[in-house]
Amino acid sequence: MLQLDLTETHEMIRDTARDFAQNEVAPSAIHRDINAEFPYEIVKKLGELGFMGMMVSPDWGGAGLDAMSYVVAMEEISKVDASVGVIMSVNNSLVCWSLETYGTDDQKERFLRPLATGEKLGAYCLSEPEAGSDATQQRTTAVRNDDGTWTINGTKNWITNGLTADVYLVYAQTDKEKGYKGISCFIVEKGTPGFTHGVKEDKLGIRSSDTCSLQFQDVVVPQENMLGPEGRGFNIAMETLNGGRIGIAAQALGIAQGAFEAATNYAKERKAFGKPISNLQAIQFKLADMATKIAAARALVHRAASTKDKHERYVREAAMAKLYASKIAVEVTLEAIQVHGGYGYVREYKVERYLRDAKITEIYEGTSEIQHIVIAREILRDAS
């Protein structure tokens, strides 16, 4: 397996994640997928390993690691169960990063520290029924009260960790006249009066991760729970998603790698016409194409992480990694099923789950169509 730019520390983190995934995550993956069961104990153990706040400074309870460490761990976890991968990704990339980058010391102490240690879980609330790819069209509102608090009203949907999170980053319109420049971000805690959730979505894939809509009816939050300056919410959301795309790219890469390994092992064991099907050129060509696509995706994912670690602009690199890794995840998982033949259609052989899990990586945290727009914009920006 081709790995790029890995230090001894990266290799140690990769091996730790791999051992944890194989020993702790894999045994219950099929059961949790069938029953849409949230992996509470697994998430708790991820927190104990430092995997829920990997890039957060030790000053705030995190592991203080770099983005490369994060993507190698994400790949290994997602290789076994993408549901656990996305739970880990949202907490790391979207919630912890936002709080550490834009939060006050008080917010970091109250919210970031327990999130980074895995004591609490976070959710990122941007999407709405009328605001998917176009996040500027926020209908959720936050109105300032005379005592300085804010009252939030609206609906969010497709929220990962929506049922199980303790801390929610909620984007709302605070000044309709200013359009997207009038969007702000608020930290809302579970149990706040007026804050409720809808029914858990019955999904095609990543079924062990819970997804639901959220309702805000006269939810009052204090001024000290506003994240970043008033009116900067849209900028915070977009900057956060740049890093989140690296996490989802790593998730897609892990799914593809898991499917490829399953197909390779099956091809070596399954016999047809008196010999292993791995001897057949038709199968060999499939494996060769799968391996090449995965290597190319890994190079893009690692480049995005490396660029981020160098504190350079990584918008294009993140979008490219997410676009390509998600695309090949779907292609590789389809081919893995084909290699398995009829057995690929059966839960026991895992590859059907890899396909179901792969599709969402082309949709969430920016669809493939949005990634094309982002990449083209960056190309033209650099050419100007």
Side-chain angles (χ1 to χ4, degrees), residues 94-144:
L94 303 186
V95 183
C96 285
W97 187 87
S98 297
L99 284 165
E100 184 166 28
T101 304
Y102 298 102
T104 63
D105 284 353
D106 174 65
Q107 289 171 342
K108 292 175 184 178
E109 187 61 46
R110 287 192 294 142
F111 303 115
L112 178 59
R113 186 180 298 280
L115 287 165
T117 59
E119 179 185 342
K120 291 185 177 180
L121 185 64
Y124 181 83
C125 310
L126 180 64
S127 294
E128 297 184 2
E130 302 295 328
S133 291
D134 184 2
T136 63
Q137 302 303 308
Q138 296 290 301
R139 300 289 181 89
T140 298
T141 61
V143 177
R144 192 195 303 270

Side-chain angles (χ1 to χ4, degrees), residues 55-107:
M55 296 173 286
V56 175
S57 167
D59 293 341
W60 304 110
L65 296 167
D66 58 10
M68 188 68 77
S69 300
Y70 171 55
V71 299
V72 298
M74 270 293 299
E75 179 182 346
E76 292 299 328
I77 298 296
S78 301
K79 188 168 75 175
V80 170
D81 187 352
S83 292
V84 176
V86 75
I87 295 166
M88 178 177 155
S89 179
V90 167
N91 202 74
N92 274 278
S93 298
L94 303 186
V95 183
C96 285
W97 187 87
S98 297
L99 284 165
E100 184 166 28
T101 304
Y102 298 102
T104 63
D105 284 353
D106 174 65
Q107 289 171 342

Side-chain angles (χ1 to χ4, degrees), residues 67-373:
M68 188 68 77
S69 300
Y70 171 55
V71 299
V72 298
M74 270 293 299
E75 179 182 346
E76 292 299 328
I77 298 296
S78 301
K79 188 168 75 175
V80 170
D81 187 352
S83 292
V84 176
V86 75
I87 295 166
M88 178 177 155
S89 179
V90 167
N91 202 74
N92 274 278
S93 298
L94 303 186
V95 183
C96 285
W97 187 87
S98 297
L99 284 165
E100 184 166 28
T101 304
Y102 298 102
T104 63
D105 284 353
D106 174 65
Q107 289 171 342
K108 292 175 184 178
E109 187 61 46
R110 287 192 294 142
F111 303 115
L112 178 59
R113 186 180 298 280
L115 287 165
T117 59
E119 179 185 342
K120 291 185 177 180
L121 185 64
Y124 181 83
C125 310
L126 180 64
S127 294
E128 297 184 2
E130 302 295 328
S133 291
D134 184 2
T136 63
Q137 302 303 308
Q138 296 290 301
R139 300 289 181 89
T140 298
T141 61
V143 177
R144 192 195 303 270
N145 302 312
D146 292 339
D147 61 359
T149 61
W150 294 84
T151 297
I152 302 175
N153 282 283
T155 300
K156 298 290 180 179
N157 65 347
W158 314 123
I159 306 303
T160 302
N161 302 338
L163 291 170
T164 49
D166 305 284
V167 177
Y168 299 76
L169 299 189
V170 181
Y171 292 87
Q173 194 82 47
T174 50
D175 190 337
K176 293 182 180 179
E177 299 300 317
K178 294 182 179 179
Y180 75 91
K181 293 183 179 180
I183 296 171
S184 302
C185 183
F186 296 89
I187 305 166
V188 181
E189 297 180 77
K190 174 182 277 187
T192 303
F195 175 29
T196 58
H197 60 75
V199 176
K200 181 168 69 172
E201 302 289 355
D202 188 10
K203 300 174 297 186
L204 172 71
I206 56 166
R207 290 173 53 78
S208 184
S209 156
D210 65 89
T211 304
C212 69
S213 62
L214 303 175
Q215 287 80 43
F216 300 85
Q217 185 172 356
D218 296 330
V219 175
V220 178
V221 296
Q223 172 63 35
E224 55 264 31
N225 277 28
M226 178 180 282
L227 182 64
E230 183 179 345
R232 280 294 308 279
F234 184 76
N235 301 87
I236 293 172
M238 294 303 102
E239 290 172 21
T240 300
L241 286 173
N242 288 329
R245 286 164 184 158
I246 298 177
I248 297 305
Q251 180 198 29
L253 176 61
I255 294 169
Q257 182 66 36
F260 169 71
E261 291 180 8
T264 302
N265 292 334
Y266 181 83
K268 291 167 66 177
E269 296 169 1
R270 171 70 169 171
K271 291 185 177 180
F273 309 108
K275 57 185 178 182
I277 62 172
S278 59
N279 286 10
L280 301 174
Q281 194 175 68
I283 300 298
Q284 292 175 357
F285 280 14
K286 289 183 183 296
L287 296 177
D289 283 343
M290 293 159 75
T292 302
K293 290 175 180 178
I294 290 170
R298 184 172 292 111
L300 285 170
V301 173
H302 285 203
R303 177 172 174 77
S306 177
T307 304
K308 186 175 188 292
D309 285 334
K310 293 174 184 175
H311 305 289
E312 298 174 358
R313 184 177 177 84
Y314 59 92
V315 177
R316 176 167 58 178
E317 287 78 8
M320 284 182 169
K322 204 265 190 187
L323 173 65
Y324 188 71
S326 63
K327 178 177 183 289
I328 69 101
V330 174
E331 292 175 356
V332 168
T333 53
L334 274 169
E335 284 290 62
I337 291 175
Q338 196 69 18
V339 170
H340 279 74
Y343 290 104
Y345 223 63
V346 179
R347 286 185 187 272
E348 179 186 353
Y349 286 80
K350 300 185 298 185
V351 287
E352 60 85 30
R353 171 165 56 89
Y354 284 128
L355 173 62
R356 290 187 287 106
D357 289 347
K359 184 56 193 174
I360 191 61
T361 65
E362 293 188 301
I363 299 172
Y364 59 19
E365 294 195 31
T367 63
S368 294
E369 290 76 14
I370 291 294
Q371 302 316 309
H372 279 100
I373 293 171

